[in-house]
Amino acid sequence: MFQKSHPSPRVARFLACTASAIVLAVGLCSCQTASDISDVTGSLGEKAETKRSADPRRDVQLAQERFKANPKDSEAALQYGKALRASGQRAQAVAVLEQATIANPSNKALLAGYGRALADNGNFQQAFDVLGRAHSPDDPDWRILSAQGATLDQLGRFEEARQYYVSALKIAPGEPSVLSNLGLSYVLSKDLPKAEETLRRAYERAPTDARVRANLALTVGLQGHLAEAEKIARADLPPDEAAANVTQLKQLLARKQAGRAEVEKMPIAATGRAE
């Protein structure tokens, strides 16, 4: 059983880096970019776009022009913030959306966007608080519940995070993005078998989702099953993409092993790890 105590700061930082590496394994699929993810545990629960832009900088320019034409337009501010996030301009996205929420304090869509931007930028506690204002107990949004769980995971509050994922799954049973976040939550607390079980459920429901595939592959690899991890990483992909996936997988696993050597020098009593 897991202990209730939270990780020490040094171990917590390592665990957070481990989770970030798993999330960043979305780079295993060359059809997506870093803008598809955030630095939190997993998906921030936004509605999937019908088509990813091939030119994020152009998107920023167009969104900026629309926003400057009418700074009081909440939808323009929201789209500008999203474009900035997609292009990696995280601090700028926070600034734009913060001002927009000040002008529109009851606009739940803006609050949700602002909360996600804060999480992108590493402001996890503030993100959690803002996201809590973006929906209400009598009208919960499963995407926001999942995003709140992701911020709690980054704060080391794993048990609380999972309560949010469970609540999200009650609204959206079997939702792969929520299951993926839940699986990564178990990675953070070093319960890799449980993480794999959960991520396999996500993969069964969304076998073509690059993030789910990558997270499962790396979780399997972290347990020493490299051949199986490579098989997952390659599945149903063109040869060049499959090869790139495997290369990136091996690099991430090597990075994880190098980090583990440092952590294993520390006392483990405070990690909450079940042996």
Side-chain angles (χ1 to χ4, degrees), residues 24-169:
L24 287 170
V26 72
L28 297 175
C29 178
S30 61
C31 65
Q32 296 195 10
T33 68
S35 66
D36 295 335
I37 52 90
S38 84
D39 285 344
V40 298
T41 308
S43 169
L44 282 175
E46 292 179 285
K47 294 180 180 178
E49 300 294 336
T50 55
K51 184 178 181 180
R52 294 288 179 182
S53 172
D55 191 353
R57 292 184 181 179
R58 177 62 175 165
D59 290 346
V60 170
Q61 182 181 351
L62 293 174
Q64 182 183 46
E65 291 172 358
R66 179 184 172 192
F67 174 70
K68 286 185 174 181
N70 188 0
K72 294 183 179 180
D73 184 342
S74 59
E75 180 62 22
L78 182 60
Q79 294 306 316
Y80 185 28
K82 286 183 177 180
L84 287 167
R85 287 176 57 209
S87 68
Q89 300 180 63
R90 298 174 178 181
Q92 294 93 322
V94 167
V96 167
L97 291 168
E98 180 180 26
Q99 291 303 311
T101 56
I102 291 172
N104 302 273
S106 61
N107 187 309
K108 294 189 183 303
L110 274 177
L111 288 167
Y114 179 37
R116 290 170 177 129
L118 286 165
D120 274 355
N121 205 44
N123 307 105
F124 300 116
Q125 182 60 59
Q126 190 179 359
F128 176 78
D129 295 338
V130 170
L131 288 167
R133 293 158 47 204
H135 63 159
S136 59
D138 60 336
D139 186 23
D141 184 322
W142 67 264
R143 295 176 182 85
I144 296 176
L145 287 169
S146 186
Q148 287 179 283
T151 60
L152 287 170
D153 271 328
Q154 282 295 300
L155 292 167
R157 294 157 60 180
F158 311 130
E159 298 272 353
E160 291 179 68
R162 290 165 201 163
Q163 293 175 17
Y164 279 82
Y165 299 138
V166 169
S167 295
L169 289 169

Side-chain angles (χ1 to χ4, degrees), residues 177-210:
S177 65
V178 182
L179 288 172
S180 185
N181 278 4
L182 177 58
L184 295 182
S185 182
Y186 287 121
V187 173
L188 276 168
S189 59
K190 296 188 178 182
D191 188 347
L192 294 178
K194 186 68 174 178
E196 180 183 346
E197 174 192 340
T198 306
L199 285 164
R200 284 193 183 279
R201 289 165 56 199
Y203 186 59
E204 288 173 2
R205 290 163 173 78
T208 61
D209 186 304

